[in-house]
Amino acid sequence: MPTVTDPASFAHHTIEANGIAIHYVDEGTGPLVILLHGFPYTWFEWRHQIAALAQAGYRVVAPDIRGFGESGKPTNVADYTILHCAGDVVALLAALGERQAVLVGHDLGAWVAAAAARLRPDLFPALALVSTVVPPREAQRPSAGWAEVEARTGGRFYHHYFQQPGLVDAQFNRDPAVSLRSIYNAISGTASEAERWRLIVMPGETALDTMPDPGHAPAWLGEDALAEYVRHYTKGGFTPPLAHYRCRDLSWDLTAAWAGQAITQPSIFIGGAADPALTAMQPLYDRMEEIYPGLVRKVLLPGVGHGAPEESPDQIANELIAFLDLTLPGLV
C-alpha cells in the first residue's frame, strides 16, 4: 500500500488520449472508482481516500484533470469545455480496460463527474459529489447570471472575475505558496471569520484580498502536503487550470441538449456545514432530491469547509465506502 505522505509511493501512469497526456494514479483491485479533483488541487488531494478505498476492496484511479498536475495543458481555452473533460474520463476508462466505474468528483471534479455521468450512464452507474452541488443546466448563459450579481452587489462573482486572461493568473502565480495556503485556509471550516473566503470580488480588490494569507499551511494540511501542491503549480502555473472557468459560457452553449435532463443514477452528496460557499449553494442543496432522483444520501459534515477531502479525509472515505458498499451490489 502507498504511504499517503509520499506521492512517489503511489503507482503513477500516463496515457495519450484525446490529443493530450492524461496522468493518473492507480491503486487496489476490485470494482473501479474514479476520483476527480477540484481547483486548485491535483490527484494528490485524494491520497487519503485512495488508500482507504483500496484497502476496502476497490480499484481506485485518480487522474490529473487536463490542465492540472502532470496531465496535458492545451494552449487553446476552447479545449477545456466540460465535454472535453468528460471525454477524457471516458477515454481513461477504456484505457484501463474496465467496463464501468463509479465517479467521485470534488469541486471542479464534481462538474466533470456529473457531465460524464449525464452523457454516459452506461459507463458510470453511480455518482458521488463532494462539496459542490452541480446544478441542472442554467436557463441562461453563466455570464448573464454573473452580470446580474454585479448589478446587485457592485462586485464580481469569482467565476466572473476569473474571466479576464492574465489577471488572476498573475496574482496567483506571483507566489504559489502564498496563493495556495491562502485559498486552502479561506475555504476551510477552520478559517477565522476574518480569513473566510468571500465569493464576491469588489472593485479595487484582487482575488487574494478575498482570501487573506494565514502565513502558514492549515494544520489539517501541513507544510509537506502544501509543498507538493506548490511544486505542481510552480511548474505548470495557474493559467491552464483557470481555463476551465473561462469555458463556462462555451460549455453552456454546447450542452443545450441537456436542458431538463436529470441524472438518475444512484448518487450521494457530501459537503461541509462550514463551507463559505454553502449560503450560495443552499437552494440547490435543498432541491437535490428533485435534481438527482437517484439520491440516496446527502450530508453536511460539521466544522468542515469546501476542501472536504483534505480537511476531513476519514469522514469522506467512510461516506464513500458506505455509499459504494450500498449501491454497487445492486449494479452488478
Side-chain angles (χ1 to χ4, degrees):
M1 291 296 293
T3 303
V4 296
T5 56
D6 179 13
S9 70
F10 290 78
H12 293 260
H13 307 272
T14 302
I15 62 167
E16 295 289 331
N18 301 331
I20 65 167
I22 301 175
H23 164 262
Y24 64 95
V25 162
D26 187 353
E27 294 289 343
T29 58
L32 178 61
V33 182
I34 297 178
L35 306 177
L36 301 167
H37 65 80
F39 172 88
Y41 299 92
T42 65
W43 73 269
F44 186 66
E45 80 157 320
W46 293 115
R47 62 196 178 281
H48 299 285
Q49 292 81 26
I50 292 169
L53 268 63
Q55 185 68 38
Y58 294 95
R59 182 182 184 186
V60 191
V61 168
D64 285 328
I65 293 173
R66 61 170 56 208
F68 291 84
E70 300 297 334
S71 286
K73 299 170 178 61
T75 56
N76 186 355
V77 171
D79 290 335
Y80 288 84
T81 73
I82 201 70
L83 297 181
H84 286 86
C85 296
D88 292 343
V89 181
V90 172
L92 177 60
L93 179 69
L96 294 170
E98 297 278 4
R99 188 175 62 88
Q100 291 185 320
V102 175
L103 295 181
V104 180
H106 169 238
D107 185 73
L108 171 65
W111 287 83
V112 176
R118 192 187 304 274
L119 285 164
R120 297 300 304 269
D122 58 321
L123 301 181
F124 308 117
L127 172 68
L129 303 176
V130 181
S131 299
T132 297
V133 181
V134 180
R137 182 176 181 271
E138 300 97 325
Q140 60 183 357
R141 293 183 107 207
S143 58
W146 304 334
E148 292 175 357
V149 171
E150 185 171 16
R152 186 173 66 251
T153 67
R156 292 192 167 190
F157 183 61
Y158 73 101
H159 284 206
H160 188 184
Y161 187 82
F162 285 177
Q163 295 307 299
Q164 182 177 330
L167 177 63
V168 73
D169 321 39
Q171 296 168 19
F172 289 164
N173 283 330
R174 188 170 299 117
D175 190 329
V178 170
S179 299
L180 290 168
R181 74 192 185 200
S182 298
I183 294 169
Y184 298 152
N185 179 69
I187 66 175
S188 77
T190 57
S192 68
E193 191 60 35
E195 294 169 341
R196 279 175 68 81
W197 175 41
R198 291 182 286 110
L199 281 65
I200 306 295
V201 184
M202 299 305 292
E205 289 188 323
T206 69
L208 289 173
D209 289 330
T210 70
M211 300 174 282
D213 179 14
H216 53 79
W220 43 261
L221 181 65
E223 297 295 341
D224 289 344
L226 174 63
E228 172 65 8
Y229 289 122
V230 170
R231 180 176 73 85
H232 282 291
Y233 282 88
T234 299
K235 178 181 177 182
F238 285 85
T239 298
L242 286 165
H244 292 272
Y245 294 92
R246 293 168 183 157
C247 267
R248 287 293 313 280
D249 272 353
L250 179 56
S251 289
W252 187 89
D253 292 343
L254 295 173
T255 55
W258 290 358
Q261 181 194 22
I263 294 173
T264 59
Q265 294 98 309
S267 58
I268 184 174
F269 174 77
I270 312 164
D275 187 339
L278 182 59
T279 300
M281 198 165 47
Q282 189 75 49
L284 287 170
Y285 179 81
D286 293 342
R287 293 177 51 219
M288 281 204 75
E289 291 81 0
E290 170 193 343
I291 300 169
Y292 294 88
L295 189 74
V296 299
R297 176 169 166 77
K298 64 179 183 181
V299 60
L300 295 174
L301 304 176
V304 175
H306 195 69
E310 286 281 21
E311 293 179 58
S312 190
D314 292 343
Q315 284 184 286
I316 296 298
N318 291 340
E319 288 284 352
L320 291 176
I321 291 168
F323 173 68
L324 293 166
D325 290 348
L326 173 68
T327 57
L328 278 179
L331 297 173
V332 175

